[in-house]
Amino acid sequence: MTDLEAPLRRAAPALLGYAAVRALGLVVLAVWSAARGKSAHTLLTARWDALWYTRVADLGYGYEVRLPNGDVHSNLAFFPLLPWLERFLHAVSPLSYADGGLVVSVLASLAAAWGIFAVAEHVHGRRVGVCAVLLWAVLPVGIVQSMAYSESLFTALAAWSLYAVLTGRWLTAGTLALFAGLTRPVGLAVVAAVWVAGVTSVVGVSSAVGAGSFVRDGSAAPAPGARNWRCALGLALAPLGAAGYVLWVGHRTGKGPLGYLDVQAGWRNGFDGGAAFARFVGEKFTSFPSALAGVGLIVGVGLVVWLYVVGVRQGQPLPLLVYTGVVTALALCASSYFGSKPRLLMPAFPLLFPLALALARLRTSRSAWVVGGVAMASAVYGAFWLNGSGPP
């Protein structure tokens, strides 16, 4: 048995379950779209952000849309790794840029599921790992995992970087953090997790807080000197992707290191500590029907915060808490695109670990019924959502 076969066999139930849930979602989407005279393929590859990514792959950077209100939507807001992969697949195969993006997302979603399993298994055991993957698959906005978007690619890179941190593989962790930083702005969360784990490891903080200085499988840890130089190099690599792209955008726009913030401002997007989101929620209570949506938003935010607190109490490793905290803060405190917040929270998979622990305590038959029911509801909602307003 090769080094890859054993971990793959351990992850097989999670990956097969994940594939089944996503297949269900795609079948329901295809049927729903056909009934409405729409193309499921177009919905997955040629709407919203997917169009912006394919334009970058096809035309490069420099495309922008000027709106009547003066806003400028520049494709410099979109990080380059997904368009690079789309361009590569287009160059070596008959795939279009859009279909290349779809292939990347499908493969990356499986890699993400495997990475989530690896992290959850390392922290809580195999059964919880399987449950965590299934919960990630049945998220209400889980259909995004099958779109030509960058969420699946980013989650895969983030999950495996975190797993590398937890198992003391610093060069791997730093390299994957570099690529995560080339995928989405929230790559900052992966960099922060790697840096916090690396610094606590170097200064000798106990691995009990998740510093990543131990390997659960019992293999011998590297000597301190070897570990320290690998750790230092991993920490040096981690921020290069995000920093490199942001600095390149600043140079291209002529606005210096903060040029990327100006690009985001053109989309009316920024970080205001959640003030704009709070006003958005407050405005829902001006009439009765919309007040129900306001209550739902408050409950949703409360659930996210509660899951994070439970994760802290259950002793999640420090790198996971840092990563999840940064992803959650950036998602909830962004000043625009409020409908995107569930999608932006999707990479914060450690939030699901407390639910996975609860699900793992049920009998297998009961947990199967729970997951099956939620998977069907998620598939129907995903088809309805994508045929309607969809992810902005």
Side-chain angles (χ1 to χ4, degrees), residues 361-389:
R361 296 189 185 105
L362 300 178
R363 293 198 303 266
T364 301
S365 58
R366 183 171 297 180
S367 61
W369 278 107
V370 171
V371 172
V374 177
M376 180 56 72
S378 174
V380 171
Y381 176 76
F384 167 77
W385 184 51
L386 214 55
N387 276 276
S389 61

Side-chain angles (χ1 to χ4, degrees), residues 190-212:
V190 188
V191 176
V194 172
W195 268 78
V196 167
V199 170
T200 54
S201 177
V202 169
V203 300
V205 174
S206 170
S207 61
V209 299

Side-chain angles (χ1 to χ4, degrees), residues 293-371:
V295 172
L297 289 169
I298 292 173
V299 170
V301 172
L303 176 62
V304 168
V305 174
W306 177 75
L307 288 173
Y308 186 79
V309 172
V310 173
V312 174
R313 291 176 175 174
Q314 290 178 344
Q316 283 190 16
L318 182 60
L320 300 190
L321 295 175
V322 170
Y323 167 78
T324 307
V326 174
V327 172
T328 302
L330 290 176
L332 295 182
C333 297
S335 59
S336 188
Y337 297 100
F338 305 118
S340 297
K341 293 193 182 297
R343 172 171 67 89
L344 298 178
L345 282 167
M346 194 163 58
F349 62 88
L351 288 174
L352 299 173
F353 288 3
L355 298 177
L357 277 164
L359 186 62
R361 296 189 185 105
L362 300 178
R363 293 198 303 266
T364 301
S365 58
R366 183 171 297 180
S367 61
W369 278 107
V370 171
V371 172

Side-chain angles (χ1 to χ4, degrees), residues 86-181:
E86 291 176 341
R87 184 178 297 176
F88 171 76
L89 288 178
H90 176 70
V92 301
S93 74
L95 292 172
S96 66
Y97 295 114
D99 287 339
L102 189 61
V103 169
V104 170
S105 287
V106 169
L107 296 178
S109 67
L110 289 170
W114 192 359
I116 292 169
F117 170 81
V119 173
E121 182 195 34
H122 184 86
V123 177
H124 294 297
R126 187 185 186 194
R127 186 174 176 86
V128 176
V130 173
C131 291
V133 170
L134 294 176
L135 289 173
W136 192 68
V138 302
L139 288 173
V141 294
I143 191 65
V144 174
Q145 298 163 15
S146 301
M147 296 179 67
Y149 270 45
S150 61
E151 272 78 7
S152 290
L153 178 61
F154 174 79
T155 304
L157 294 166
W160 284 108
S161 179
L162 291 170
Y163 179 73
V165 164
L166 295 175
T167 55
R169 297 172 171 90
W170 296 107
L171 292 179
T172 301
T175 301
L176 292 174
L178 184 157
F179 285 113

